[in-house]
Amino acid sequence: MTRLAVFASGRGSNFQALAAAARKGVFPGRIVLLLCDQPDAGALAVADAQGIPARVIAGRRPGGRLGREAETAYRDACRVAGVEWICLAGFMRVLGSTLLAAYPDRIVNIHPSLLPAFPGLDAQRQAWDYGVRVSGCTVHLVDGGVDTGPIVLQRAVPVLPADAPEDLAARILAEEHTIYAEALRLLLTRPWQRRGRRIIFAGEETDR
Ligand code: GRF
């Protein structure tokens, strides 16, 4: 069983979906730690309900980068818990070199758009404002940028004419809740390699 940490800042619905999927054996991993930068995050209540150890480690200032000291504290908490992979789930901080070097190609994120379209905050609103007919969600490896790392899995979601931004966000969120666990299943069960920005799973090139 691979030992996973989840980092979250908000309500924690993706964290909850991952915890449920892990319990059902959708991917061969166990969430052993939740780390959170916001003391009032809903994710903390989810951890409590699931019996998953949780800690709040505040960053230097709200939003933005974590700051070197906080990042070291996140890394050390993961090391002490024997964490092998980190899943960002609504974690509103940009990671720096301390965590990226400790977990090279072992940190994943979920983003509510089809990247590279609409990175950053409020992606569903950005897509709605732009008037795209299709949006979706993306699971990607994390690098030092904002939503810029290599793509693992994406799922398209239609934008319907009657949608308010909240309707679109809800339709995308429902897909996020399955695609994240599927991406982890692929990463943890199938040999894969990075070729430039592309992630190739074993056997994929012959799957047609
Ligand atoms: C999700 O839409 C996720 O894609 C984005 O932040 C949101 C977090 O929601 N990165 P939740 O806290 O998992 O409910």
Side-chain angles (χ1 to χ4, degrees), residues 92 109 111-113 115-124 126 146-148:
M92 306 304 283
N109 181 42
H111 182 75
S113 76
L115 291 170
F118 313 125
L121 290 178
D122 237 345
Q124 307 93 328
Q126 291 185 52
V146 176
D147 305 321
T148 48

Side-chain angles (χ1 to χ4, degrees), residues 60-165:
R60 200 176 35 189
R61 59 196 155 80
R65 304 196 81 89
L66 260 185
R68 193 174 280 280
E69 246 176 65
E71 217 186 312
T72 303
Y74 274 77
R75 182 201 61 194
D76 292 349
C78 286
R79 282 191 174 157
V80 167
V83 167
E84 297 162 281
W85 279 79
I86 296 170
C87 303
L88 308 185
F91 189 61
M92 306 304 283
R93 301 275 186 167
V94 179
L95 303 189
S97 54
T98 302
L99 277 161
L100 293 171
Y103 289 93
D105 284 348
R106 294 290 180 275
I107 308 178
V108 271
N109 181 42
I110 186 147
H111 182 75
S113 76
L114 291 178
L115 291 170
F118 313 125
L121 290 178
D122 237 345
Q124 307 93 328
R125 159 74 66 169
Q126 291 185 52
W128 187 88
D129 281 342
Y130 198 92
V132 293
R133 298 280 182 164
V134 177
S135 190
C137 44
T138 303
V139 178
H140 64 92
L141 297 182
V142 172
D143 62 13
V146 176
D147 305 321
T148 48
I151 289 169
V152 179
L153 203 56
Q154 294 186 295
R155 173 108 10 107
V157 170
V159 185
L160 303 180
D163 277 348

Side-chain angles (χ1 to χ4, degrees), residues 105 115-116 138-141 143 148-154 187 191-208:
D105 284 348
L115 291 170
T138 303
V139 178
H140 64 92
L141 297 182
D143 62 13
T148 48
I151 289 169
V152 179
L153 203 56
Q154 294 186 295
L187 289 167
W192 56 274
Q193 51 172 271
R194 258 181 85 159
R195 280 191 219 148
R197 286 196 51 85
R198 300 190 320 134
I199 294 178
I200 313 286
F201 290 97
E204 210 175 22
E205 284 161 311
T206 50
D207 290 351
R208 292 214 175 193

Side-chain angles (χ1 to χ4, degrees), residues 10-15 89-90 109-112 124 173 176:
R11 75 193 147 181
S13 72
N14 275 289
F15 167 43
N109 181 42
I110 186 147
H111 182 75
Q124 307 93 328
L173 190 65
E176 292 182 45

Side-chain angles (χ1 to χ4, degrees), residues 4-23 26-27 31 33-34 42-44 46-47 50 52 86-92 108-113 124 136-140 155 169-184:
L4 309 170
V6 173
F7 293 5
S9 305
R11 75 193 147 181
S13 72
N14 275 289
F15 167 43
Q16 182 154 30
L18 283 179
R23 260 202 324 273
V26 175
F27 57 86
I31 301 173
L33 181 64
L34 172 79
L44 291 165
V46 174
Q50 304 277 341
I52 294 172
I86 296 170
C87 303
L88 308 185
F91 189 61
M92 306 304 283
V108 271
N109 181 42
I110 186 147
H111 182 75
S113 76
Q124 307 93 328
C137 44
T138 303
V139 178
H140 64 92
R155 173 108 10 107
R171 193 176 304 117
I172 293 174
L173 190 65
E175 294 301 330
E176 292 182 45
H177 290 166
T178 60
I179 193 185
Y180 210 168
E182 276 174 39
L184 285 173

